[in-house]
Amino acid sequence: MKLKLDIDALNEDFFEDAFLLGIIVTAKSYRFCWQVNNVLGYNFRLNTDINIEIQKKGRRYFFPVYQHTESVTDINHYIYHNQYDGEYLLPEFKHMDFLWLVKGGVPPYNYAQQIIQSVKQINGVQLVAELTNEKIKTKGNLVF
């Protein structure tokens, strides 16, 4: 008997209680997360246990993931760097420098808009936009 892993179902489960923001900013990943922490009061830290690795064209590409967990709720925040050495985590969003995934718990009403407005206050941020599930073709690349 063969068991087959349903990747589509796995991806849908991962994104069931989540939303994704795309961010264009001139800062490097460590600098951007430092700004988010200091300006907005988050506590993002590099989580080396969930770094994303993609193999393409005989090469390996590594995408760092920064994580912040809200202490009062079960909401987790993840910031992914979208580009590494000429490859993109989400190629359909090449223009986005970072991807901010909010997952878990029940976020308060209008939570995505609150984060968008806050991130726009950070120096160097050019754009923050919510990326809808229908537009994300390679969402499996974000699953850890």
Side-chain angles (χ1 to χ4, degrees):
M1 178 169 142
K2 286 186 180 180
L3 297 177
K4 186 177 177 188
L5 184 60
D6 187 347
I7 300 297
D8 290 336
L10 189 71
N11 290 343
E12 289 305 315
D13 285 348
F14 184 82
F15 287 97
E16 183 179 338
D17 59 349
F19 64 86
L20 185 66
L21 305 175
I23 302 166
I24 299 175
V25 64
T26 55
K28 301 276 186 200
S29 57
Y30 64 89
R31 178 79 174 152
F32 175 64
C33 287
W34 180 85
Q35 287 178 300
V36 168
N37 288 345
N38 284 300
V39 174
L40 305 180
Y42 287 88
N43 189 27
F44 277 98
R45 298 283 179 243
L46 182 63
N47 186 340
T48 55
D49 293 337
I50 57 175
N51 280 345
I52 306 294
E53 178 184 337
I54 295 177
Q55 293 191 8
K56 242 183 190 177
K57 306 172 195 165
R59 292 188 58 202
R60 294 166 54 182
Y61 299 92
F62 299 92
F63 299 89
V65 180
Y66 293 80
Q67 181 178 3
H68 164 78
T69 302
E70 293 185 13
S71 57
V72 179
T73 67
D74 289 333
I75 297 174
N76 285 291
H77 299 255
Y78 303 94
I79 294 178
Y80 302 77
H81 197 267
N82 192 37
Q83 193 265 352
Y84 177 84
D85 201 22
E87 279 298 323
Y88 295 89
L89 189 57
L90 294 184
E92 61 271 31
F93 295 109
K94 288 181 181 179
H95 57 289
M96 296 295 181
D97 298 306
F98 295 97
L99 306 165
W100 184 325
L101 177 71
V102 178
K103 180 174 172 36
V106 179
Y109 174 74
N110 220 11
Y111 197 53
Q113 289 304 315
Q114 291 171 19
I115 293 174
I116 289 170
Q117 292 307 315
S118 297
V119 173
K120 284 181 178 178
Q121 297 173 22
I122 294 174
N123 198 16
V125 171
Q126 298 169 0
L127 175 79
V128 185
E130 188 166 1
L131 308 177
T132 60
N133 276 341
E134 301 80 40
K135 294 181 181 176
I136 306 169
K137 296 180 183 112
T138 54
K139 66 174 76 173
N141 289 354
L142 299 176
V143 177
F144 43 82

